[in-house]
Amino acid sequence: MFAGSRIGARVILGDQSCVRERVVVGDDVVVGRGVLIENDTTVGAMTKIQADAYITAHSVLEEHVFIAPCVVTSNDNFMGRTERRRALVAGPTIRRGARVGPALCSARA
């Protein structure tokens, strides 16, 4: 965990997870193995981020969000080092109760 971050009560941080600077993690959050949460991000209470997910800087994950394994987020619509990009960098806002990840399929017998 980096300087300026705040971790709520009853939070589980999996091995090899990394919480960067100025991140706020609410109560009862699970951060899986190998997850990286970049700077200036807010993670709401009761959220679960599964193994090896990448949450980009300046993101907001509201309460009760589920992030599936290996999900990757981005905050750069320009994919380059332009001056215009710097003014518009913003991570995603993932609303309360959202589920992000692969679609589930049921097998038919």
Side-chain angles (χ1 to χ4, degrees):
M1 185 171 76
F2 284 57
S5 291
R6 292 180 289 159
I7 304 296
R10 298 170 305 279
V11 170
I12 297 171
L13 296 175
D15 61 315
Q16 298 181 348
S17 63
C18 180
V19 178
R20 294 290 307 268
E21 59 274 13
R22 298 176 305 278
V23 170
V24 176
V25 178
D27 296 340
D28 302 299
V29 170
V30 176
V31 177
R33 182 180 201 277
V35 169
L36 174 54
I37 303 175
E38 292 281 12
N39 58 286
D40 303 294
T41 291
T42 301
V43 179
M46 301 295 294
T47 290
K48 293 182 181 176
I49 305 172
Q50 297 290 309
D52 297 318
Y54 174 78
I55 307 301
T56 195
H58 306 282
S59 295
V60 175
L61 281 62
E62 293 183 349
E63 299 81 16
H64 298 275
V65 167
F66 176 84
I67 304 293
C70 301
V71 165
V72 175
T73 60
S74 176
N75 63 3
D76 187 351
N77 290 327
F78 299 98
M79 298 302 214
R81 295 197 174 269
T82 65
E83 289 303 314
R84 183 171 180 225
R85 165 187 84 99
R86 294 186 192 282
L88 299 174
V89 168
T93 297
I94 301 175
R95 298 288 182 202
R96 177 181 168 85
R99 303 200 178 304
V100 179
L104 300 176
C105 299
S106 61
R108 295 184 183 227

